[in-house]
Amino acid sequence: MQDFSGVNIKNMIIHNVGNKIKGESLDLSTELCDISNQVTSQYLKQFFFSAFKFDITYRFVHESDIVMNEIYNYVKQIFDNPNIFYEQSVNIAKHLYEVSVHPNIKTGELCIVHMQNCIIDNNVTDAIGLYKSESKDYYLKINGNEQGYDIECEQGINPKKLDKGCLIFRLSESNYKVYIVDKNINNTQYWKKQFLMVEEEKNEYTNTSKALKLCKRYIEKNENIEPEKKLNFINNSMIYFENNEKFNLEKFTEKIFDNENESDKFKIYLNTQEIDNKFSISSNAVAKVKKTIKKSIRLDDNVEIKFKDSINDINGLIEKGYDKKKKKNYYKIYFNNED
């Protein structure tokens, strides 16, 4: 459970971080932000938390020693001693500037905030938030005067749109929970890999999501499987994940594939992707991946056979054949009623 309604913003500062490889500057603030205005504070809290999904948890990593992970080290010092918030915020901004060496990285304001009284997984704890705003929205501001009203355009940050963000909760001395947002992940992953140096933690959500996506990829990319069999395999995969609380690789392959050879090939493929053979299934992950799966067969002449939802017995619903006179393949569809 998460509850941020009683959060107190202890310290906050904003630095401007340019793209180092383009010769842009790093502009450091010399004072903390004034967060005494209650209305501003209310919208800041919305900005700080609303964009995050709390299904996927990350952890800090380093190839040799975790204390050499810059962000881990800087936020640990803030947690240990909030009085050095400013000094560590400068270190964080400098680190971001040093890794901003990809041509697609945009200049933006880096907001660093220390928050208290956060409730995460039923624990009351502090949090460090890192937020980079790279895009701006335009707002129309209406001003009243003695003659009536006039209007002007202003540029600013939309509190409902976060480009890049990171929330770091410390549940204990060595237990950190990290959540990230990256809206421009297709352009460059410097925020996650070079700046934060984090990787996903394995849990029921990530295991379920990854396993289902790998099923989808394996079936779609396998040219040796006929289209109607692909449809049957992906349909049966969804049925298995929707109707079982736990994933078992042996039982799964028995249900999905109709021959041992194909089953063995899939097991080998899944094992190369570092998926656990057994794990609890997350219904939230199933629902999310299900939206991306298309259960259809594309034919020539701009024809497509599409199924809106999982079908208990696709083999009993669709039949493939070949018409010798017309010299064409065909599909026969069985149904009870039509709309």
Side-chain angles (χ1 to χ4, degrees):
M1 185 194 80
Q2 299 86 35
D3 184 1
F4 308 119
S5 58
V7 165
N8 172 53
I9 301 175
K10 181 174 178 60
N11 286 313
M12 173 179 161
I13 195 167
I14 299 173
H15 304 295
N16 189 275
V17 183
N19 186 313
K20 184 177 181 180
I21 200 172
K22 292 181 180 179
E24 296 170 347
S25 63
L26 168 64
D27 300 319
L28 299 171
S29 297
T30 57
E31 294 182 356
L32 301 182
C33 297
D34 180 3
I35 48 177
S36 58
N37 185 287
Q38 291 186 354
V39 175
T40 303
S41 179
Q42 177 185 346
Y43 280 98
L44 281 173
K45 292 176 186 178
Q46 178 184 354
F47 178 64
F48 291 155
F49 295 105
S50 61
F52 287 88
K53 307 295 183 185
F54 293 94
D55 293 317
I56 301 177
T57 308
Y58 292 83
R59 63 186 180 92
F60 290 113
V61 294
H62 194 276
E63 57 187 10
S64 57
D65 191 333
I66 189 63
V67 298
M68 297 180 68
N69 180 307
E70 285 89 345
I71 298 301
Y72 170 83
N73 184 38
Y74 300 146
V75 299
K76 181 180 185 302
Q77 293 191 57
I78 295 174
F79 283 132
D80 289 341
N81 183 7
N83 292 328
I84 59 172
F85 173 83
Y86 175 79
E87 291 81 358
Q88 298 309 320
S89 80
V90 170
N91 289 333
I92 292 170
K94 287 181 177 178
H95 174 54
L96 178 58
Y97 183 67
E98 290 300 320
V99 300
S100 297
V101 292
H102 190 286
N104 290 344
I105 296 175
K106 298 178 181 178
T107 297
E109 294 87 5
L110 175 66
C111 175
I112 303 168
V113 58
H114 181 194
M115 294 170 282
Q116 298 174 317
N117 201 34
C118 303
I119 300 177
I120 184 85
D121 293 345
N122 297 318
N123 294 289
V124 181
T125 184
D126 286 9
I128 304 295
L130 311 175
Y131 310 88
K132 188 184 178 193
S133 300
E134 298 178 334
S135 57
K136 302 291 187 295
D137 279 353
Y138 287 91
Y139 300 89
L140 296 177
K141 183 179 180 181
I142 299 175
N143 300 311
N145 52 49
E146 294 181 356
Q147 289 74 37
Y149 298 91
D150 60 15
I151 189 168
E152 61 180 323
C153 185
E154 291 187 352
Q155 191 181 48
I157 298 171
N158 188 334
K160 296 181 180 181
K161 295 180 181 180
L162 175 62
D163 292 314
K164 288 177 169 58
C166 176
L167 274 172
I168 305 157
F169 301 92
R170 184 165 76 167
L171 303 185
S172 67
E173 182 67 25
S174 58
N175 184 11
Y176 285 64
K177 276 189 174 291
V178 183
Y179 301 91
I180 67 172
V181 170
D182 191 350
K183 297 297 185 182
N184 301 314
I185 198 167
N186 291 327
N187 294 331
T188 171
Q189 293 193 39
Y190 82 99
W191 181 256
K192 180 171 72 173
K193 292 185 176 180
Q194 282 77 46
F195 175 56
L196 298 171
M197 291 184 66
V198 293
E199 63 180 25
E200 284 186 17
E201 283 192 321
K202 278 190 176 183
N203 56 33
E204 64 179 33
Y205 184 93
T206 54
N207 276 329
T208 304
S209 179
K210 188 174 182 179
L212 255 179
K213 288 177 181 178
L214 288 172
C215 290
K216 175 186 173 185
R217 186 185 307 166
Y218 176 82
I219 294 168
E220 289 179 347
K221 300 297 182 181
N222 196 327
E223 297 179 355
N224 297 320
I225 304 177
E226 296 180 352
E228 71 276 12
K229 284 191 174 182
K230 287 186 177 183
L231 178 63
N232 194 40
F233 289 157
I234 196 65
N235 178 75
N236 290 343
S237 298
M238 288 304 309
I239 290 175
Y240 179 92
F241 276 91
E242 288 177 322
N243 294 304
N244 288 277
E245 294 182 354
K246 295 184 180 297
F247 175 86
N248 181 298
L249 181 58
E250 290 295 330
K251 293 181 179 179
F252 175 77
T253 52
E254 288 176 6
K255 290 277 187 181
I256 304 307
F257 298 100
D258 53 10
N259 67 80
E260 189 174 343
N261 182 46
E262 196 62 58
S263 175
D264 290 340
K265 287 181 180 178
F266 179 75
K267 289 177 187 176
I268 294 172
Y269 169 75
L270 213 59
N271 286 330
T272 62
Q273 305 298 317
E274 298 181 354
I275 287 288
D276 294 339
N277 290 342
K278 296 179 181 180
F279 56 82
S280 297
I281 293 175
S282 164
S283 58
N284 289 338
V286 173
K288 185 173 182 179
V289 177
K290 185 178 181 179
K291 295 177 181 179
T292 69
I293 292 178
K294 296 180 180 179
K295 291 185 282 293
S296 62
I297 301 175
R298 289 184 177 274
L299 310 175
D300 52 12
D301 300 324
N302 298 318
V303 177
E304 183 178 14
I305 302 173
K306 183 181 295 185
F307 298 88
K308 288 186 177 181
D309 209 339
S310 300
I311 307 297
N312 289 330
D313 182 19
I314 281 189
N315 287 330
L317 183 68
I318 185 170
E319 179 183 322
K320 185 177 181 179
Y322 181 76
D323 191 306
K324 293 181 180 179
K325 290 183 179 180
K326 295 183 178 181
K327 296 181 180 180
K328 286 188 175 184
N329 297 309
Y330 66 83
Y331 280 106
K332 186 185 292 184
I333 308 292
Y334 296 94
F335 65 93
N336 293 316
N337 301 294
E338 60 181 325
D339 293 333

